[in-house]
Amino acid sequence: MRVTELTAFLVPLPLKREIKHASFTRTESINLLIRCQLSNGTIGWGEGLPRPYVTGETPEGCLQQLSRSNLHPALMQSASNWPEVIAICDALQFNNESDDPRGCGSNSLRCAVELSLLDAFGRHFGEPVSAVVPHVAEAAEIHVRQPRVRYSTTITSSGAKSERISALKMRAYGFAQCKIKVGVNGQDDPSRVARIRRWIGGGVDLRLDANEAWRPEEVIEKMRPLREFGVTCIEQPVAHDEVDALASLRESIGVPIMLDESLTSRMDAKRAIERGTCDLFNLRLSKCGGFLSCLRLAAFARASGLGYQLGCHPGESGVLSAAGRHWASSVGDIRYLEGSYDRHLLTTLPTQEDITLRYGGWAPALDSPGLGVTIREDWLQQNAKTERTFVVDAQ
C-alpha cells in the first residue's frame, strides 16, 4: 500500500476568546490541514500550525515548500507494517530555501504530512496511531500504555475580572495543574499570581510562562516574589537569542526552567543539554516536527536526565488534539500535559468527533483506527481559503 495523493488546505479557525501573552495576541489560528489518500482509497488527515515567531513558518510558506519539495522518493515507497511507515516518514525531505540554522523551518509542514500518513496507514492496518510507538527504537525506555491521561489548563493575560472568572471555573472543573502567562507589559505579575493562587486554590500545581519577555539580568528579580506562590516551573523566561545566559542563572532562579521557543529541534535539544540551560523540554507536535520527532526528543531528554511536557498551540483542531492524545497515552513521565481544549476554545469543531477533555482534565486513550477523528468535509469546503492537490506519480 502506498500514497497516491496529498491535498493541502489552509483554514482559519476563530477562537472563542482572545489569547494573549508576551509574544503575541491571537483571535484566530490559520491551520494547515493535509489529506492523504492511499492506493486503496483510504483517507488520513494531518495538521500543523505554522507560527512565524516560533519556527519561522507561515501558512502560505508551507504550501510553497510543499509544492517545491520532491517527496516522491519517500511517498512512492510501499508500506505493509509500521516500521515501513516510519521509514517513509523519516525519508521525507522538504525544500526549505530560507536560512534554517536550527533545523526547524519545515516542522509544522512535516508534522501535518507525517500525521496524515500515520492516520491513513493506521486506518488501513485497523490500528490506532499509538500502535506505532513500540516500533520507534529510540522510544523504548519511555513507552507505556495508559488508559487515560490528565490535561492541565492555562490562564492568559486578560484582565483581573476575566482571570478571576477563569480561575474559579478551573477550580470548579477540578484541574490539578494550571499555567499562568506572565511578562506582559503593564501587568503586575506578583499581584496577578497572588490573586490567581487565592482563587484557584492552594492544591493546584501552578507554573509560569514568560514567552521570552524578560532580559537575563532581570530574571532573578522577576522570579523572586513569584516563587512565594509555590510555582513549580518557569517556561522560556528569556528570548532565544539570550537563552545561553540561563546556564548561569538556573540555581539562583529557584525553580526548574522549561524551554519552549528555544526547543524546536534535535539541534536545539543538543545545545540545551550541552550548555545546561534548562531542566525540561516543552514538546509540541507542530513546533517540533511531528509525532515521531517528539518521541525521539522526549527519549533524548530522559536519557540526559531532563523532564518534558507535551504542549499545544492555541487553535489546534481535533486532528492535533487526537494526535496529542495518542502520544500522551503512550509515553510515561510527562511532567505537564496540554491540549484537547477543542470545545472550550474553538467556535466550531472541524471534526465529526468531539474529544474535548473532561472534568478534572481527564480524557480516555483513543483506540479507533488511525487518529480516530475525521474532518467534516462540508465544513472544510465552506471554510478552506486555499486548497492544493499534489499527485504522487507512480511512474
Side-chain angles (χ1 to χ4, degrees):
M1 194 62 56
R2 70 172 190 85
V3 177
T4 58
E5 186 177 278
L6 294 179
T7 303
F9 304 86
L10 295 184
V11 191
L13 287 181
L15 307 180
K16 284 187 174 180
R17 64 180 186 276
E18 181 182 80
I19 302 297
K20 183 178 181 180
H21 57 70
S23 298
F24 206 82
T25 299
R26 182 176 300 281
T27 57
E28 74 169 5
S29 178
I30 306 297
N31 294 15
L32 170 68
L33 292 174
I34 299 288
R35 182 173 62 202
C36 170
Q37 182 171 309
L38 301 184
S39 49
N40 68 347
T42 301
I43 299 295
W45 289 95
E47 182 179 21
L49 274 67
R51 297 286 193 254
Y53 54 91
V54 178
T55 63
E57 296 168 280
T58 65
E60 294 76 13
C62 284
L63 289 186
Q64 293 172 8
Q65 276 200 63
L66 190 57
S67 65
R68 64 175 178 252
S69 297
N70 182 16
L71 303 183
H72 287 72
L75 297 181
M76 287 178 63
Q77 298 178 39
S78 181
S80 58
N81 54 52
W82 284 117
E84 292 175 346
V85 175
I86 294 171
I88 293 174
C89 293
D90 288 346
L92 294 171
Q93 296 292 325
F94 296 96
N95 183 12
N96 180 16
E97 295 182 351
S98 61
D99 187 36
D100 187 21
R102 296 168 61 194
C104 63
S106 302
N107 279 4
S108 297
L109 174 58
R110 174 177 291 278
C111 176
V113 174
E114 177 187 277
L115 285 179
S116 75
L117 297 176
L118 295 177
D119 186 28
F121 279 104
R123 291 175 186 271
H124 171 59
F125 299 154
E127 296 181 351
V129 164
S130 56
V132 76
V133 178
H135 300 280
V136 180
E138 300 92 329
E141 293 299 317
I142 61 172
H143 176 229
V144 298
R145 296 182 62 183
Q146 303 179 102
R148 63 176 186 167
V149 296
R150 194 174 196 182
Y151 293 91
S152 65
T153 186
T154 300
I155 295 179
T156 61
S157 298
S158 54
K161 182 178 179 181
S162 295
E163 288 173 352
R164 181 174 184 270
I165 293 171
S166 294
L168 292 175
K169 282 184 177 179
M170 292 167 187
R171 182 173 184 169
Y173 205 68
F175 281 105
Q177 297 176 333
C178 177
K179 179 164 76 177
I180 303 173
K181 296 287 187 175
V182 296
V184 175
N185 286 336
Q187 297 275 11
D188 182 348
D189 287 329
S191 297
R192 289 181 59 243
V193 176
R195 292 194 302 267
I196 291 170
R197 169 57 84 189
R198 183 169 66 252
W199 294 330
I200 206 167
V204 174
D205 180 316
L206 287 185
R207 65 190 188 280
L208 309 176
D209 183 2
N211 288 108
E212 305 182 282
W214 300 331
R215 297 296 305 274
E217 60 268 23
E218 63 182 357
V219 172
I220 294 174
E221 286 303 311
K222 293 284 188 181
M223 283 299 302
R224 183 171 288 115
L226 299 176
R227 293 202 309 261
E228 298 178 11
F229 308 108
V231 298
T232 60
C233 178
I234 175 63
E235 185 175 335
Q236 197 70 40
V238 302
H240 174 69
D241 289 345
E242 299 180 300
V243 71
D244 288 349
L246 294 177
S248 61
L249 300 175
R250 281 174 63 186
E251 290 188 13
S252 299
I253 288 174
V255 298
I257 299 171
M258 182 187 297
L259 294 188
D260 180 13
E261 288 87 348
S262 292
L263 196 288
T264 63
S265 64
R266 179 80 174 191
M267 293 183 199
D268 281 349
K270 288 183 66 176
R271 175 172 172 164
I273 291 168
E274 290 170 357
R275 304 192 181 190
T277 55
C278 71
D279 303 281
L280 302 106
F281 291 169
N282 183 356
L283 307 174
R284 304 176 194 252
L285 298 180
S286 180
K287 179 193 71 168
C288 296
F291 195 95
L292 303 177
S293 175
C294 283
L295 285 174
R296 290 161 175 156
L297 286 171
F300 188 38
R302 169 80 171 264
S304 303
L306 301 185
Y308 47 87
Q309 79 158 30
L310 184 67
C312 72
H313 288 298
E316 293 182 359
S317 84
V319 175
L320 269 171
S321 291
R325 185 80 57 81
H326 284 284
W327 198 96
S329 63
S330 305
V331 173
D333 298 324
I334 300 173
R335 182 64 182 86
Y336 311 102
L337 177 61
E338 299 171 350
S340 282
Y341 304 134
D342 306 34
R343 192 176 62 251
H344 298 301
L345 189 55
L346 301 178
T347 59
T348 302
L349 295 186
T351 56
Q352 295 177 12
E353 302 82 3
D354 178 3
I355 59 167
T356 306
L357 54 80
R358 301 176 182 177
Y359 178 80
W362 291 105
L366 303 175
D367 55 11
S368 298
L371 289 173
V373 295
T374 306
I375 290 290
R376 293 165 42 210
E377 294 278 357
D378 57 341
W379 171 88
L380 186 64
Q381 294 305 317
Q382 292 174 12
N383 291 277
K385 69 174 190 175
T386 305
E387 177 180 346
R388 194 171 301 171
T389 298
F390 303 86
V391 177
V392 181
D393 191 352
Q395 302 302 319

